[in-house]
Amino acid sequence: MSVLPLVFTSGWASGINAYAVVLLFGIFGATGLTDEVPESLQRPDVLIVAGVLFLCEAVADKIPYVDSVWDSVHTVVRPVSGAVVGALLAGQSGSLPELAAGAVGGSTALLSHLVKAGTRMAVNTSPEPFSNIAVSTAEDLGVAGIISFAIFYPVAAAIIAATLLLLGLVILIFLAAKIRRFRRRRAQRREEKRLGLGTPRSPG
């Protein structure tokens, strides 16, 4: 069976939380739930590092504006991780060239990351922190759920991931237009206020 659906799904998930993907794959492989995971992802040192970084992301990802800084730092990390995991999965199965798998995993992770980062920028316009916590928790649960599902039903999981990616891109385009309008209105109000302060008062 082709490993392409699993590569695509792991790429989508890596764009959201690369460390969770490595950690989950490693655990599933180490516990014998699947033989699709290469041994390099099952190594104890890899699992420990992925676990520590996952905990760091779990905290940073729920703090307003800190999450956007974290996303900026991971603009390279997540696509690279998606490409590496995809290539490793392809090398394990032998049903897909590793270079092609890396391209699929990396490009999918990049698109997914852009959706995540753009959505967070929109969420950060909200004055309260609870929306960040809710969105981050939903993302963590979504990644865990889709990767777990992909281990047993890779094609169905890939269809879900593709649907979520397409939906995310549509929402991102909508939010980008909304943010631009918001910034224009805010800039216009600042300019009007500045001009109003500079206008001399009429004698009373």
Side-chain angles (χ1 to χ4, degrees):
M1 181 178 179
S2 174
V3 75
L4 181 59
L6 188 59
V7 169
F8 179 86
T9 303
S10 67
W12 173 84
S14 294
I16 299 174
N17 193 325
Y19 306 123
V21 173
V22 173
L23 182 62
L24 286 169
F25 273 141
I27 291 174
F28 288 143
T31 55
L33 290 176
T34 178
D35 56 1
E36 295 285 346
V37 179
E39 292 184 3
S40 56
L41 294 179
Q42 303 177 37
R43 290 167 38 188
D45 57 335
V46 172
L47 292 176
I48 291 172
V49 171
V52 170
L53 291 173
F54 169 75
L55 291 176
C56 292
E57 174 147 340
V59 175
D61 204 43
K62 294 174 176 60
I63 303 174
Y65 297 105
V66 173
D67 57 352
S68 290
V69 174
W70 184 269
D71 285 338
S72 298
V73 173
H74 285 75
T75 300
V76 174
V77 175
R78 288 169 182 159
V80 169
S81 178
V84 171
V85 171
L88 289 174
L89 291 172
Q92 177 76 4
S93 70
S95 62
L96 182 69
E98 294 180 30
L99 184 60
V104 171
S107 57
T108 306
L110 177 60
L111 288 174
S112 179
H113 164 76
L114 292 176
V115 170
K116 172 187 170 70
T119 303
R120 285 311 183 84
M121 290 178 64
V123 171
N124 280 334
T125 61
S126 174
E128 41 74 32
F130 304 107
S131 54
N132 295 74
I133 296 174
V135 172
S136 176
T137 302
E139 289 172 348
D140 292 342
L141 293 176
V143 168
I146 199 72
I147 290 297
S148 300
F149 189 59
I151 291 295
F152 304 101
Y153 305 100
V155 175
I159 293 173
I160 295 173
T163 302
L164 291 174
L165 180 60
L166 180 60
L167 181 62
L169 290 171
V170 172
I171 293 175
L172 180 60
I173 293 172
F174 171 77
L175 290 176
K178 188 175 180 179
I179 291 173
R180 282 196 298 269
R181 288 195 299 269
F182 172 78
R183 288 179 175 174
R184 280 199 300 266
R185 286 197 299 267
R186 188 170 61 178
Q188 184 178 1
R189 285 196 297 268
R190 282 201 302 263
E191 183 66 14
E192 290 173 352
K193 184 177 180 181
R194 185 184 67 82
L195 293 175
L197 291 174
T199 302
R201 293 182 180 180
S202 58

